[in-house]
Amino acid sequence: MTAAPRSGGVGGRAPDPRVHGGDGARIAASLGLDPGDVLDLSASLNPVAPDPSAVVARHLDALGRYPDPAAAAAALAGVMAVPVDEVLLTNGGAEAISLVAAELGGSVIEPDFSLYPRGGGPVWRSNPNNPLGELAPADAEAGVWDEAFWPLATGSWTRGDHRRGAVVVGSLTKLLACPGLRVGYVLSGDADLLGRLRAAQPEWSVNGLVCSALPELLAPVDLAAWRDHVVDLRAGLADLFRGAGFTVRDTAGPWVLVDGASWLRDALIAQRVVTRDCTSFGMPGTLRVAVPRPTDLPNLRAALAAATAER
């Protein structure tokens, strides 16, 4: 996992934000830093997930074989309590979105995640909404639901809309805090649709490490406990920013929104902390700040104090 940033600010102007998070390594490189010297809170990952490194290390022999996703798909279907023929593993949530978008098209009600299609077709909704962090009402409908953050927000695997005619996409890399491993999924009760998506998927799309390690990575998952822990950590994060004088919007996801902070992104980057600028969501002046791991909170507290002291 990422090492704690060393204390002390850095000079130079940070690169402009991308249209989605995960900017830590890019910004570290632009500042001449090692990625481990930057606390990346622009990507909203599970702050209480076990370190996957030891598990993945036990499966390195998979690098010498062509991947077969059957066992991994069966493991995911098992923990989700859905038939395996309703699950398609993908190379991260991004591939799930790309496959479904190419097949169905789509539209959104802004603000919503940048990777969704914005043309004609069914309505796509992230649940909880990214960036607002609001859970959809129980009677809300959509053609495609993105449940990347649903497990951490609710303590359950899925709302089950794939059994009511909708398509569901998800990202295990958020839940397991391993975005470099790339594992996502599509849920659908429409066998013909899943067949077309599978046919459109490149051969060996899901890498061998995922196919081999996923059953073991899923074994310790405790959604209810992780949800409760995230709730507590998120409250502490909100209190930290409110205590520094900022207006904070709480969410159901593993992040908070900090308003009136257009200057704060660069100020925190100078202290080796990266947050998510929400201008691309149509929310200029708002930052999305991921809930940090408990061990990283002191680094964030120190960085925020230094950033506001220089204001």
Side-chain angles (χ1 to χ4, degrees), residues 39 41 45 47-48 233 237 254 289-297 300:
L39 176 57
L41 301 180
L45 307 177
V48 297
L233 293 173
L237 178 63
V289 184
V291 175
R293 289 184 173 272
T295 53
D296 287 328
L297 188 60
L300 176 58

Side-chain angles (χ1 to χ4, degrees), residues 125-154:
R125 293 181 67 166
S126 52
N127 192 21
N129 175 269
N130 181 15
L132 298 179
E134 299 169 350
L135 284 166
D139 60 351
E141 296 183 354
V144 182
W145 289 99
D146 185 343
E147 293 186 336
F149 296 108
W150 173 269
L152 285 177
T154 68

Side-chain angles (χ1 to χ4, degrees), residues 114-193:
S114 62
L115 293 186
Y116 304 155
R118 283 162 165 80
V123 172
W124 289 57
R125 293 181 67 166
S126 52
N127 192 21
N129 175 269
N130 181 15
L132 298 179
E134 299 169 350
L135 284 166
D139 60 351
E141 296 183 354
V144 182
W145 289 99
D146 185 343
E147 293 186 336
F149 296 108
W150 173 269
L152 285 177
T154 68
S156 63
W157 275 104
T158 180
R159 203 171 88 148
D161 289 271
H162 69 289
R163 294 191 175 121
R164 295 186 284 272
V167 178
V168 172
V169 297
S171 170
L172 292 177
T173 55
K174 306 290 194 305
L175 180 66
L176 301 175
C178 55
L181 199 55
R182 312 306 305 141
V183 55
Y185 57 88
V186 180
L187 293 180
S188 176
D190 184 337
D192 289 339
L193 173 63

Side-chain angles (χ1 to χ4, degrees), residues 191-218:
D192 289 339
L193 173 63
L194 274 189
R196 295 195 300 274
L197 297 180
R198 189 172 285 109
Q201 192 176 36
E203 196 69 51
W204 306 302
S205 174
V206 183
N207 68 78
L209 286 176
V210 167
C211 292
S212 182
L214 188 60
E216 189 175 353
L217 289 170
L218 290 171

